[in-house]
Amino acid sequence: MKPQTHLDIFIHTFFYSVLTAAAAQFQINIFSPEFSVSLGIVFLAAFSLLSDHFPLFPVSLLSGIFVLLSRTFYSCMNGNGLEQAFLISLPELGFYIIYGIILTFYLKKLRGTGQIWKDLAALFFCDYLANFGELMLRLNINAFSNSSQSGILITALLRTVLIFIFITIFRQYHLVLIRREQKDYYQNLALLTSRLQEEVIWMKKNSGMVESAMHLAYQLFERLRTDSSTRDAAKDALVVANNIHEIKKEYYLILRGLSDVLSLESTSKSLPFSDLFSILEDPIRQFAASHKKTVSFHVHGNTSLCVPDPYCLLSVFRNLFMNAIEASEKDHVRLEISIEETGESLLCTVTDDGPGISPDILPMIFDAGFSTKINYETGEISRGLGLNIVKNIIVEQLGGTITATSRPGKTSFHITFKKTTLEESK
């Protein structure tokens, strides 16, 4: 963390002082017209307990000065002369100075850790002594009267309760924010791991092509070197073969490294099956927005099933959702996810409201190399996993089945898992 400069400390002190002085404008008068009970000290005390490096005494001193100036101004506005208004308001500065000194001493010398009731007792004591000091400045000996003493005791108690409520609400809100950040972090981590797994799947698929290219280059070298007229070409073929060999070694090192990382990540705790879709909602909405579309999710049914290795499933459903968005001709895509347990199986159906798949194409969509997402102007093919690999994940890795039905306005992918296999997948 970057150390605070003197300017940073001054800015923080000034900000908290202004905030405390502003809160001090909410007040009620008791005992005498000049004595008021405000909320400023509630903010001051709460800040000092919530922050380990809060500049308590500088803030209490500066807050007292701001309160003194504001009270003097209001008193002048009510018809008092400047000197009289200043003297009437001056004891409030004394209150903030006394409060700051006593609370600073407690926090630096006496405070332990995790002792909220001790903190509340100290706040009550500080409030009482500071109020008593202010009353002494205003009322002299009358500050010892029963009515004055009972009044400042009640005031100290009420303000301490307000501080406790303020701190509790702040800590609960802070805890909610932390949990939300943690949830977002783990959702992003799960999605990142899923996408890394997709890359590993692609690399494993392409490793055979690298191996094949290397063998073809060596075979070409062997054919060319026997003919004296093609020996130069043979040398070039050998260079190509050697280069492919080096690429293959680096390729396999990267593949092994990614696989090792994913194998370590797979030891994380199980994820409820239904949470897969909540993890994917935000990324899929962002993907739809990049295509100038919107998307809505409608999940029907539920299951208590937990999966120890959710990343394959995240890849499967992410690609099905992305395919639906890319295929849709509408500005808004509706995705229906149906979950149903039947005996030893879990049925999951993903349905979209897109244009549908032609009956001529439907039987081929799971074939290797097949893609309906070709840009005929550029020849570019979308680099999704492809339904062939999606099917391989479901069938080979998860022991399930996947089929598709389609008509205009409705395409459904029906996925069946064996619950025991899904829960044991690693």
Side-chain angles (χ1 to χ4, degrees), residues 69-367:
L69 295 176
S70 63
R71 296 281 192 271
T72 301
F73 174 76
Y74 290 135
S75 184
C76 289
M77 294 294 292
N78 290 329
N80 294 317
L82 179 60
E83 182 178 356
Q84 181 186 9
F86 181 80
L87 292 175
I88 291 173
S89 305
L90 186 59
E92 295 220 32
L93 175 59
F95 169 83
Y96 279 90
I97 292 176
I98 295 171
Y99 195 97
I101 291 174
I102 298 174
L103 187 56
T104 298
F105 177 79
Y106 166 74
L107 294 177
K108 290 187 175 181
K109 303 295 184 180
L110 303 177
R111 191 188 190 195
T113 57
Q115 299 175 322
I116 184 63
W117 298 113
K118 185 178 178 181
D119 287 345
L120 293 176
L123 292 174
F124 175 82
F125 184 70
C126 290
D127 202 303
Y128 169 78
L129 286 183
N131 273 326
F132 181 72
E134 182 179 351
L135 277 180
M136 285 291 294
L137 294 173
R138 293 187 185 281
L139 305 177
N140 297 322
I141 195 65
N142 291 332
F144 290 95
S145 67
N146 290 335
S147 61
S148 297
Q149 288 297 308
S150 60
I152 60 175
L153 285 171
I154 293 173
T155 300
L157 178 62
L158 291 176
R159 204 145 47 184
T160 301
V161 170
L162 287 176
I163 294 171
F164 174 74
I165 293 173
F166 183 91
I167 291 175
T168 301
I169 292 174
F170 181 87
R171 284 176 174 168
Q172 289 300 318
Y173 177 69
H174 184 61
L175 186 61
V176 169
L177 289 181
I178 290 176
R179 287 174 177 170
R180 185 178 300 170
E181 288 177 357
Q182 288 177 337
K183 179 183 177 182
D184 292 342
Y185 171 79
Y186 285 113
Q187 285 183 343
N188 292 334
L189 180 61
L191 186 63
L192 175 61
T193 304
S194 170
R195 297 185 70 172
L196 281 175
Q197 199 161 52
E198 292 179 20
E199 297 303 318
V200 168
I201 291 171
W202 266 110
M203 292 178 72
K204 286 180 178 178
K205 178 184 177 183
N206 293 334
S207 61
M209 296 174 61
V210 175
E211 191 76 33
S212 175
M214 186 185 69
H215 283 301
L216 286 174
Y218 276 121
Q219 290 173 3
L220 180 61
F221 164 71
E222 291 294 337
R223 289 200 305 269
L224 293 175
R225 72 172 183 162
T226 58
D227 188 342
S228 60
S229 64
T230 57
R231 284 178 182 173
D232 290 339
K235 292 179 182 179
D236 292 339
L238 182 60
V239 170
V240 171
N242 287 332
N243 288 341
I244 295 176
H245 179 69
E246 293 301 316
I247 292 172
K248 185 189 76 169
K249 290 195 299 183
E250 297 297 328
Y251 190 91
Y252 284 165
L253 284 174
I254 296 171
L255 180 59
R256 187 173 66 183
L258 287 174
S259 298
D260 289 344
V261 170
L262 290 173
S263 65
L264 290 174
E265 181 58 29
S266 66
T267 61
S268 60
K269 64 180 182 179
S270 299
L271 181 74
F273 186 90
S274 301
D275 285 358
L276 295 169
F277 307 109
S278 61
I279 288 176
L280 288 170
E281 277 194 35
D282 286 343
I284 293 301
R285 286 197 172 96
Q286 293 171 8
F287 178 80
S290 69
H291 287 69
K292 298 181 180 179
K293 299 176 184 178
T294 58
V295 62
S296 60
F297 290 83
H298 305 273
V299 181
H300 308 287
N302 203 350
T303 176
S304 58
L305 188 70
C306 291
V307 289
D309 184 12
Y311 307 116
C312 287
L313 289 170
L314 286 170
S315 296
V316 166
F317 290 116
R318 175 173 168 268
N319 277 273
L320 291 178
F321 296 159
M322 290 168 60
N323 286 348
I325 291 169
E326 289 181 324
S328 179
E329 299 171 353
K330 302 177 181 179
D331 293 333
H332 179 79
V333 181
R334 179 183 177 90
L335 294 173
E336 301 270 354
I337 301 101
S338 174
I339 304 170
E340 181 182 359
E341 289 190 53
T342 58
E344 298 301 318
S345 298
L346 179 71
L347 309 179
C348 185
T349 303
V350 177
T351 303
D352 65 71
D353 59 350
I357 303 173
S358 168
D360 297 334
I361 295 176
L362 188 61
M364 299 184 292
I365 60 174
F366 295 112
D367 292 346

